[in-house]
Amino acid sequence: AYLNVGFLIVLSLLVGFILKGKDINYSNLYYWARVLLRFRLGIILVAYGLLKLFPLQMPFPSLSNLHTNYGDFFGWKIYYHTTGITPWYESFLGLIELLAGVLLFFRKTTTLGAGIIIGFTGNIFAANLAYQGGQEYLSLLILVIASILFIYDANRLFILLYKLEATRANRIIPIYDAQWTKRRRITKSLIGLFLIFMGISFAFSWAKSPFKYPEGKALTHLYGYYNVKSFKFNGDEIPYSKTDSVRWQNVV
């Protein structure tokens, strides 16, 4: 995945070199690039925010996991269980991510949403590196996009908040003709409906089956933790041992 980042940087520099000096409205190109990045990042954040709001990404540890030795877990599993065992905290994290994603869909609140997600995903990126969560590339991608969006107003914020001097706000208002206005409304409506549908599906999934177990009929009235007193393998009974790699010691 990191090789892809290097490839994209080289490709971007190559395209920039080819377009250098050509008659292009770079301000207009930059504006539409930010629009695409805003919506791309917003969709990612809303999806992951909903996964945490309805604790599906890191569900409450199952009975099997609660009876697994701590040292037998991978690092990322420990991180997931540590977060999943406090579902209200996970929902709170999802609410922040969801809020930041929604803010990106509006020009006036883009910088605020990007600023929130830089601090939020920066922590997630560090956790992925530390616990080998397998999502380092995605969290890095979110950080890069959020930084590009935040840089647009970074100088204004520096002058206002650090130098304590007056600064002009961004007052660029795009002008759309009737056809573009219609397309814009249709596109925003479709994205909004898609996100609402996704939220409803996550809510049903959480209410019905937060653990991805088979939905077939199982043995009834046997939920619990059992010690295995008798264990046979190929007809031969194997005595209890904590070091035997074949004999079951217990079963959930």
Side-chain angles (χ1 to χ4, degrees):
Y2 290 106
L3 187 62
N4 292 340
V5 176
F7 172 76
L8 289 173
I9 292 174
V10 173
L11 181 62
S12 300
L13 292 173
L14 181 61
V15 172
F17 179 77
I18 294 173
L19 296 178
K20 184 180 179 181
K22 295 187 180 295
D23 187 16
I24 298 174
N25 188 335
Y26 288 102
S27 296
N28 195 37
L29 188 64
Y30 179 48
Y31 173 81
W32 284 109
R34 290 186 74 250
V35 170
L36 291 174
L37 291 176
R38 283 198 297 117
F39 279 80
R40 178 70 181 101
L41 183 57
I43 291 172
I44 294 176
L45 296 178
V46 169
Y48 272 91
L50 289 170
L51 275 175
K52 293 184 182 72
L53 183 65
F54 305 103
L56 292 168
Q57 185 180 2
M58 294 170 279
F60 193 88
S62 66
L63 183 63
S64 177
N65 286 319
L66 291 173
H67 283 88
T68 300
N69 293 326
Y70 189 83
D72 290 338
F73 285 120
F74 287 110
W76 69 268
K77 198 79 169 180
I78 294 173
Y79 176 72
Y80 268 44
H81 286 329
T82 303
T83 307
I85 207 167
T86 52
W88 286 108
Y89 173 65
E90 183 180 351
S91 296
F92 172 71
L93 295 177
L95 186 62
I96 294 176
E97 206 166 10
L98 182 63
L99 174 63
V102 171
L103 290 175
L104 292 176
F105 291 118
F106 304 95
R107 288 193 312 272
K108 293 181 180 180
T109 56
T110 296
T111 302
L112 177 60
I116 292 173
I117 212 60
I118 286 173
F120 184 89
T121 307
N123 183 40
I124 294 177
F125 178 63
N128 274 309
L129 292 177
Y131 292 94
Q132 299 177 342
Q135 294 183 332
E136 298 93 337
Y137 175 70
L138 177 60
S139 52
L140 177 61
L141 176 66
I142 292 173
L143 271 176
V144 170
I145 296 177
S147 298
I148 292 172
L149 296 174
F150 186 80
I151 285 172
Y152 184 73
D153 280 326
N155 187 52
R156 297 185 182 92
L157 292 172
F158 177 78
I159 294 173
L160 178 66
L161 300 177
Y162 182 78
K163 291 188 173 181
L164 301 179
E165 298 176 0
T167 183
R168 288 188 176 185
N170 170 29
R171 296 188 178 277
I172 296 178
I173 302 176
I175 300 175
Y176 302 102
D177 57 25
Q179 188 176 10
W180 265 109
T181 300
K182 183 178 179 180
R183 291 176 181 174
R184 176 170 169 264
R185 289 175 178 173
I186 292 174
T187 302
K188 279 194 169 186
S189 299
L190 289 175
I191 292 175
L193 289 173
F194 169 71
L195 295 177
I196 291 173
F197 171 78
M198 186 165 54
I200 294 173
S201 66
F202 285 173
F204 273 106
S205 180
W206 170 70
K208 185 179 179 182
S209 177
F211 298 107
K212 302 306 174 186
Y213 293 149
E215 294 185 1
K217 188 176 180 180
L219 297 173
T220 57
H221 309 297
L222 290 179
Y223 179 84
Y225 177 82
Y226 294 85
N227 289 320
V228 178
K229 293 183 177 179
S230 176
F231 186 90
K232 291 184 178 181
F233 185 72
N234 289 336
D236 299 325
E237 184 163 342
I238 302 176
Y240 180 84
S241 172
K242 284 196 171 185
T243 59
D244 195 307
S245 62
V246 175
R247 190 194 193 282
W248 290 11
Q249 298 175 21
N250 49 65
V251 62
V252 175

